Amino acid sequence: MKPRRLGSWLLIVFGVLYFFVPLLGTFEFSLRLLRGVYSVAAYRIVLADPRFAATVTYSTVLALATIAVGVLLVLPTAYWIQLRLPRLRPVVEFITLLPLVIPAIVLVFGYLRIYNSSSALPLTGSARTTDLLLMFSYVTLALPYMYRAVDNGLRAIDVRTLTEAAQSLGAGWSTILLRVILPNVRVAVLSGAFLTFAIVIGEFTMASLLDRPAFGPYLQLIGANRAYEPAALSIISFSITWACMGFIQVFGRGASGQVAGAH
Amino acid sequence: MSFLEIDHLQKRFARTTAVEQVHLEVTRGEFVSFLGPSGCGKTTTLRIIAGFESPSSGAIRLDGVDITQRPPHQRNVGMVFQSYALFPNMTVAQNVGFGLKVAKKPAAEITQRVEEMLHLIKLPALGNRFPYQLSGGQQQRVALARALAIRPQVLLLDEPLSALDAKIRVSLRLEIRSIQRELGITTIYVTHDQEEALSLSDRIVVMSEGRVEQIGTPFEIYNFPRTSFVASFVGTLNILRGQVADPAHGKILVDGQEVFASRGLERARTGDAVTVALRPEIVSLGEVAGNGNRMRGTVEDVNFLGSIVRIRVRFTDNAISLDTFNNPSLSLPQRGQALTVSFPREAVLALEAPPST
Ligand SMILES: Nc1ncnc2c1ncn2[C@@H]1O[C@H](COP(=O)(O)OP(=O)(O)OP(=O)(O)O)[C@@H](O)[C@H]1O
Ligand SMILES: [Mg+2]
């Protein structure tokens, strides 16, 4: 018993060191812009850079759009497969896994071939339509996570009986999805949304190759040209991610009470 | 006039035929049970009425209107599921009011109707609870209230009590029946528990392997089963095998002893094999005046079941069980003891075909 427990503690200590030492190192380094003293000068410079605010905003908006489109696509699909086409489940699972197997760079070259400005559907022709293309490619990138999260949520409830109960009470499909299914898989949808957000906020390849002003390419640009600011940026983006996590936890719990009390 | 007509329904799945030519006419306000063993097609029939499955052939007519092709949410048929199926994200009151909200009824009307329904199921104080805060019996009552709130034309219940323990099952079934009477709602109740079906129903439909075996009042089903399946499925039954000795007088030889049957031997010939059924509660220990049949055997087993005592008596190849009421002043027969049993002629039912068991 005792040596075993010691072993687990050693593992935990090792894990903590593995994750936090680099982070602490980065943090410490980010404070050393001014020679000889610790200061937040690097942070000031980063935050004062208008490109920082612009790229973070751009990526956040894109992430939110990606989440909205992703949920709209995945929830009804996973629901219908669970309800009516359970035999298709392995096929769909395989398809949703493809973005993990196909490198982003391959995907984006494919997009560029199909949607270039001289193609039938010239999405890369203007900035707005390129944003659209980028958003759709993010939906694809996040698909494995979003689908798995939502599907797990749906498996945890009795989709068929709840659907039939709602139907017998006069509810049509949209009512069932919005008022019965969605509220009961809300936590799963939120965790899918969080993963999507984390992917989109730091994504580099697609944004860079489609030449959009996202946070990922900005991070790369600063990293290539400066010494202390990239460390500060890393810490900032970590904080954003963690804040997100905390926010979703709180929101997830608060919303459960709210949804329940609202109708 | 029939209110709900189930017209020669048939439902085939890839490999099985779940429902075979089921025909039934239900009058307004009637309580009908579907009774049968697992897999006999009760749920499938119910789901066709609710619209969750469409029949391979046949039709459903409700109040003269053919609703066979109508989607479930346009049928106005209430459904109660074995697993309760309350919406976990909604309170009791929201669950009960769901159908009304979907129908876009005004808020005041919903509130009033929900209150009315919660009173009906005797849970007026629990409107703000969530389903997980209720016991199984309470959840099922809420599910009943939810189904009734929309004033459905027909109420369907699929084994609503089988997830509950024995005590609650009995009290809740009485409650369901009294609510059903109070509202006068046409009800179809699926169960594999014969006691439930016998105690609740106006009529029982006994099903086996997708077919209707017999439709009748509980009294008819229990006392005059038409097929050996019904006879053996409903109630405990003694099956005796013998040969016809005198068809004109209904005389049969069972293990060499004479037994007279009530009916059904007109078409038989002397020497034919015959199977008769006998209810345990109709057999008496010893000779009783008016019992036209008596047989001698030995006590094989004595089972004390509380209010009744079940005694098994063996002849030669055949044996019967008989029930007597428990009585502390009674001395029970001992195993191995030889004794006489008697039973009336009318109790001996000749069956259409020998049971497969
Ligand atoms: N969706 C389906 N696909 C294929 N076969 C089915 C389907 N639903 C039911 N069956 C088959 O139809 C037959 C009748 O099933 P049904 O569920 O109606 O039985 P039941 O009388 O309700 O039994 P139980 O008492 O176990 O609930 C069974 O043999 C079952 O395997
Ligand atoms: Mg069933």
Side-chain angles (χ1 to χ4, degrees), chain B residues 289-324:
Chain B
N291 278 356
N293 284 307
R294 66 187 67 84
M295 294 181 76
R296 288 200 60 79
T298 48
V299 177
E300 192 174 66
D301 207 357
V302 179
N303 266 313
F304 186 68
L305 302 175
S307 63
I308 61 170
V309 181
R310 179 159 293 176
I311 299 163
R312 194 158 175 81
V313 177
R314 176 158 290 281
F315 307 116
T316 313
D317 296 328
N318 290 286
I320 60 170
S321 294
L322 66 96
D323 289 351
T324 60

Side-chain angles (χ1 to χ4, degrees), chain A residues 160, chain B residues 11-19 36-47 53 82 158-159 190-192 207 210:
Chain A
R160 185 165 127 150
Chain B
K11 177 68 183 178
R12 283 189 218 94
F13 289 112
R15 258 170 249 125
T16 45
T17 301
V19 177
S38 186
C40 70
K42 309 178 295 284
T43 298
T44 307
T45 311
L46 204 71
R47 290 171 58 80
E53 309 271 1
Q82 181 179 347
D158 190 359
E159 308 203 18
V190 162
T191 179
H192 58 245
M207 293 181 67

Side-chain angles (χ1 to χ4, degrees), chain B residues 203-277:
Chain B
R203 278 195 299 162
I204 298 176
V205 179
V206 183
M207 293 181 67
S208 163
E209 292 174 4
R211 289 168 199 283
V212 172
E213 288 277 328
Q214 187 172 352
I215 301 178
T217 63
F219 187 85
E220 288 166 354
I221 296 281
Y222 191 84
N223 291 311
F224 309 108
R226 262 215 307 271
T227 65
S228 58
F229 175 82
V230 177
S232 55
F233 190 74
V234 181
T236 319
L237 202 78
N238 292 303
I239 301 284
L240 298 174
R241 286 162 225 272
Q243 294 84 41
V244 177
D246 182 355
H249 295 97
K251 191 162 87 177
I252 300 167
L253 286 177
V254 174
D255 290 344
Q257 306 192 48
E258 282 181 5
V259 172
F260 290 90
S262 58
R263 63 180 171 96
L265 290 180
E266 293 79 10
R267 271 175 290 157
R269 282 172 311 184
T270 305
D272 279 358
V274 65
T275 306
V276 296

Side-chain angles (χ1 to χ4, degrees), chain B residues 183-197:
Chain B
L183 302 180
I185 185 167
T186 312
T187 300
I188 296 190
Y189 187 100
V190 162
T191 179
H192 58 245
D193 180 339
Q194 41 135 333
E195 191 187 315
E196 245 169 61

Side-chain angles (χ1 to χ4, degrees), chain B residues 133-210:
Chain B
Q133 295 167 317
L134 302 180
S135 73
Q138 290 171 331
Q139 289 191 47
Q140 197 57 298
R141 281 194 271 171
V142 173
L144 181 66
R146 181 179 69 175
L148 290 172
I150 57 170
R151 302 179 204 275
Q153 288 175 283
V154 177
L155 178 64
L156 307 174
L157 304 106
D158 190 359
E159 308 203 18
L161 306 179
S162 48
L164 301 170
D165 68 55
K167 272 241 171 71
I168 307 281
R169 253 199 325 255
V170 173
S171 67
L172 194 49
R173 86 179 180 217
L174 294 174
E175 206 166 318
I176 288 177
R177 180 57 159 149
S178 85
I179 288 173
Q180 186 269 338
R181 282 219 172 92
E182 191 177 328
L183 302 180
I185 185 167
T186 312
T187 300
I188 296 190
Y189 187 100
V190 162
T191 179
H192 58 245
D193 180 339
Q194 41 135 333
E195 191 187 315
E196 245 169 61
L198 290 169
S199 68
L200 284 175
S201 322
D202 292 319
R203 278 195 299 162
I204 298 176
V205 179
V206 183
M207 293 181 67
S208 163
E209 292 174 4

